[in-house]
Amino acid sequence: MMANFFLLLGLLAFTCSLSLAFEPSPLQDFCIADTMSSASLNGRVCKDPKLAQAEDFFPRLHLVGNTSNSVGSKVTPVNVAQLPGLNTLGISIVRIDYAPWGINAPHTHPRATEILTVLEGTLYVGFVTSNPETRLISKILQKGDVFVFPIGLVHFQRNVGYGNAIAISSLSSQNPGVITIANAVFGSNQHIASEVLMKSFQVEKNIVDRLQTIF
Ligand SMILES: *[C@@H]1O[C@H](CO)[C@@H](O)[C@H](O)[C@H]1NC(C)=O
């Protein structure tokens, strides 16, 4: 009897922790972020639903991103910061433009799985599984192909075609977050001490200094 009780308790705790690891289900049709409110909570305050307009649910991603930068790609995000209607819905979208040989550098989304569709061009994409396996799972994608980057895993894309490439990615959070590995490690505001990075990457101080200057 007692054993059953503890089994049930364990099961309950397990399912609760599972559901808490993701964005909660909405408790109403929608909850358009009130961009005027300064109240701070897990998500955004809803504006009066009677004031809902099509524009709250209507992002535009027709503009080509400017890829004239060091990596040759541009991510145009549409998350709750750009589109208030996404608040509490657990979803968002980005457009990614790539110049020839442009890359979307290795990064991770702490709060979302990503599903990418190639609209134009050819992309080499991949992600790396977590320790201790750290296995690269990669693929060359053509127009119309779709690829999934599981939540939290480090992933990247590179344009390996002849012209520009375009992708659309959907993400399972209104606010997926992004951690670009090189920027986080070598470009943090207040640098990580060189000794930490030298030993972590097994390189000399001049290399760490150089990377810290770049990022
Ligand atoms: C694209 O970005 C570059 C570098 O920031 C800038 O010089 C250029 O004017 C931009 N092009 C357009 C069309 O905005």
Side-chain angles (χ1 to χ4, degrees), residues 4 6 21 32 36 40-41 67 94 102 109 114 117 131 145 167 181 210:
N4 275 348
F6 280 113
I32 297 164
M36 295 304 163
S40 174
L41 70 166
T67 57
V94 301
H109 304 289
E114 172 174 350
T117 307
N131 296 351
D145 287 350
I181 308 306
R210 192 171 134 64

Side-chain angles (χ1 to χ4, degrees), residues 64-69:
V64 180
N66 185 346
T67 57
S68 300
N69 53 51

